[in-house]
Amino acid sequence: MPEQTALVFGEVRVSYGRLAEAVRRLANGLRSLGVAPGDRVAILLPNVPHFPISYYAVLALGAVAVPVNFLIRPQGLRSLLADSGAKVLITWDGFRHLFTGVLQEGIACQKVVVLGEHCPSFARPLTLLMQESGSDLEFEPAAETVPAAINYTAGTAHDSLGAVMTHQALLTNMQTSREMFHINENDRIAAVIPMCHSLAQVLCMHLSLLSGATLVLISRFQPKPVMEILGKEGVTFLPAVPSLIAALADTDETERALPDLKAVLCYGGRVDELMVKKFEERFSTRLFVGYGLTEAGPLVSCHRLYSDYRPNSVGQPLVGTEVQILDETGTLLSPYATGEIWVKSPSIMSAYYNHPDQTALQLKDGWLFTGDIGYIDLDHYLYVVERKEDLIIKSGFPIFPHEVEDILCSHSAVAEAAVVGVGANAQSPDVKAFIVLCAGAQVQENELIELCKQALPMYKCPRFIEFCSALPKSPTGRVLKRLLRS
């Protein structure tokens, strides 16, 4: 087992034995910096071997890992470090533009460990800290109810909240997923999704390393290079997001096939059924559409290896997970009735860190309010319709943005569309569409509005259209509509 490959990063191969030694060395190094049980340690790193090394070194000390989205802006980093009270920041020299100014502004996190050749004078080099530290480490296994990580939700600098995940929550979601996808030591799991996201941590990092499998780290997503890595490394399981699935499905069929790929999990947004079929035909593999959120561990439901596929569904709840649909009065709804999705599971967060009022709104009697709207059929397949916060209510009539977005995206010139409600009148907002055009394409606003009028009631049609080069997105590719509304 110590000789088996744990991590692959380019041409670098790290065995389980070397990984364990690296974790112990860094844990001792962090202890020398004063990190103690319960302390928070922020990790701002790309998908490199030092991410899992840092993460597990923090946990080995009984401390709490705080992964940071590397797409964050300095203002957001300042807010996150202040909110979490992180004692140490582990980062990469390529992110100096993010952390240098923030740490000079009096943030409590004054101890910085930097990976790379260009370490600032106020920081400690990560590799040197490990070299100077011993590989012997004595530690007590943490209790299941002790916090292991704080995963921040995708939001602006001011509204992102830290979901506190216990060891039990992470372990339960990982173990359930391992059984569901039949993962073992012979598997090779690719991490293309940024490791700062909870899905990559649980369904890539934890799932792989705690199963004795091999974790293949990919730091940048470009379809052709990713295809080459997946084929070269014999990847068998790929957690992915819709944008990644679509990009791989569109690759030239003369490109490398992926004969070892046995399962792909698609998570993090609505999935076009034509794209599902196209992907499965392109790679002769199963695409399992799932659903979840950071606060839920993250996976809530998914299609199974040996169950029927239901179009537009996100599958059935995981073993040990309960899902119910309630109306706004808290009344339990019958199958096919649309309402608010609530989840109960050992995998859900214990709280929002430092935000008891928000915790009380989201957690009630062991149930987590997801903020999503959906319904369940007679066989308990879950269907997610819309985010509650994204639903547009115009003069009392509901407008599901995805209805309008689907019509807009049917135009050959439109690559992406996002629809939100805008205007000062909260009772009757105007419908506005943000449009990203295909490369070299052109279309007039009135042409898109007329397209909608032909397929939708007048009140659902956009009044305003704004063309933009890109839509703001989370690490999993979900459009951040709150930023569009603001």
Side-chain angles (χ1 to χ4, degrees):
M1 183 66 178
E3 295 77 25
Q4 177 155 327
T5 301
L7 305 174
V8 172
F9 181 65
E11 299 304 316
V12 175
R13 301 287 188 272
V14 180
S15 68
Y16 272 90
R18 285 183 58 200
L19 174 61
E21 180 183 353
V23 168
R24 291 193 295 267
R25 286 184 177 277
L26 182 54
N28 281 323
L30 293 174
R31 180 178 283 168
S32 71
L33 297 180
V35 176
D39 286 339
R40 279 77 60 207
V41 177
I43 303 173
L44 176 59
L45 292 171
N47 285 13
V48 294
H50 289 85
F51 188 103
I53 290 170
S54 299
Y55 191 106
Y56 291 122
V58 172
L59 266 57
L61 294 176
V64 182
V66 185
V68 183
N69 179 5
F70 56 74
L71 298 178
I72 200 169
R73 295 181 181 276
Q75 181 182 9
L77 178 61
R78 183 184 306 109
S79 176
L80 186 149
L81 293 176
D83 185 75
S84 67
K87 192 169 189 176
V88 174
L89 170 65
I90 302 175
T91 186
W92 174 51
D93 62 5
F95 295 148
R96 290 182 66 172
H97 64 288
L98 289 176
F99 65 81
T100 301
V102 169
L103 296 174
Q104 292 175 343
E105 294 177 6
I107 296 295
C109 175
Q110 289 298 315
K111 295 183 178 179
V112 186
V113 180
V114 175
L115 173 67
E117 298 179 357
H118 305 288
C119 182
S121 58
F122 59 80
R124 292 287 302 274
L126 177 57
T127 52
L128 183 60
L129 182 64
M130 294 172 65
Q131 290 172 5
E132 294 176 343
S133 302
S135 59
D136 293 330
L137 180 69
E138 294 182 6
F139 65 94
E140 291 292 331
E144 291 184 343
T145 55
V146 169
I150 300 176
N151 285 316
Y152 276 80
T153 59
T156 65
H158 304 290
D159 59 14
S160 184
L161 297 168
V164 179
M165 310 306 297
T166 65
H167 287 264
Q168 180 189 35
L170 297 178
L171 190 61
T172 299
N173 211 252
M174 182 279 297
Q175 289 176 331
T176 303
S177 299
R178 178 173 62 184
E179 294 168 4
M180 185 168 61
F181 293 112
H182 298 187
I183 301 298
N184 58 45
E185 66 275 8
N186 297 316
D187 281 296
R188 300 173 77 83
I189 301 176
V192 185
I193 300 172
M195 299 294 289
C196 58
H197 192 274
S198 59
L199 181 74
Q201 292 163 39
V202 175
L203 271 296
C204 295
M205 186 172 71
H206 299 332
L207 180 58
S208 176
L209 300 180
L210 295 182
S211 301
T214 298
L215 177 63
V216 180
L217 295 163
I218 302 175
S219 58
R220 292 186 62 187
F221 173 64
Q222 294 175 321
K224 189 172 181 178
V226 167
M227 284 278 291
E228 292 176 353
I229 295 171
L230 297 179
K232 175 185 176 183
E233 300 299 339
V235 168
T236 59
F237 181 59
L238 173 65
V241 295
S243 57
L244 170 59
I245 296 296
L248 292 179
D250 286 336
T251 54
D252 192 329
E253 293 197 14
T254 61
E255 297 285 346
R256 179 194 296 269
L258 302 174
D260 298 306
L261 193 60
K262 68 179 185 182
V264 177
L265 168 66
C266 188
Y267 168 103
R270 293 183 64 246
V271 184
D272 183 83
E273 290 300 321
L274 292 176
M275 186 264 288
V276 172
K277 182 178 180 181
K278 182 177 181 180
F279 185 91
E280 291 186 338
E281 291 178 349
R282 168 74 173 86
F283 297 109
S284 299
T285 190
R286 285 288 305 276
L287 179 62
F288 299 93
V289 179
Y291 159 76
L293 59 160
T294 298
E295 296 92 330
L299 200 59
V300 170
S301 67
C302 191
H303 284 89
R304 305 290 203 273
L305 278 167
Y306 303 110
S307 64
D308 294 334
Y309 178 78
R310 301 283 174 92
N312 300 310
S313 167
V314 292
Q316 297 167 307
L318 271 60
V319 174
T321 297
E322 299 178 62
V323 174
Q324 61 182 13
I325 309 297
L326 307 179
D327 66 14
E328 292 187 352
T329 67
T331 301
L332 183 65
L333 297 177
S334 58
Y336 299 103
T338 300
E340 301 175 349
I341 301 173
W342 289 75
V343 176
K344 189 174 187 179
S345 164
S347 299
I348 64 174
M349 69 175 184
S350 58
Y352 283 123
Y353 189 73
N354 275 343
H355 292 276
D357 292 344
Q358 192 64 38
T359 299
L361 292 175
Q362 300 297 124
L363 291 175
K364 296 181 180 179
D365 299 323
W367 288 88
L368 169 70
F369 171 47
T370 67
D372 290 322
I373 298 173
Y375 64 92
I376 295 174
D377 67 16
L378 289 172
D379 297 316
H380 222 63
Y381 280 79
L382 176 64
Y383 297 77
V384 180
V385 178
E386 199 70 66
R387 287 286 299 173
K388 185 179 181 181
E389 65 181 16
D390 294 335
L391 184 67
I392 303 169
I393 305 295
K394 188 174 179 67
S395 300
F397 293 96
I399 302 173
F400 294 109
H402 76 265
E403 295 180 286
V404 188
E405 292 161 357
D406 288 346
I407 299 300
L408 291 167
C409 288
S410 69
H411 195 287
S412 59
V414 177
E416 292 183 282
V419 170
V420 299
V422 298
N425 187 352
Q427 302 303 316
S428 187
D430 292 314
V431 178
K432 180 173 181 177
F434 291 83
I435 302 293
V436 178
L437 295 176
C438 298
Q442 291 185 341
V443 65
Q444 298 298 315
E445 295 178 27
N446 60 350
E447 183 179 345
L448 294 177
I449 293 174
E450 285 300 320
L451 176 66
C452 291
K453 288 180 178 178
Q454 294 172 16
L456 298 169
M458 185 64 71
Y459 73 92
K460 293 185 179 182
C461 297
R463 182 178 179 188
F464 303 109
I465 299 251
E466 180 175 328
F467 296 102
C468 52
S469 59
L471 299 173
K473 296 180 180 179
S474 72
T476 61
R478 180 170 62 84
V479 176
L480 301 177
K481 291 188 177 180
R482 69 187 72 181
L483 299 184
L484 295 179
R485 286 190 290 269
S486 66

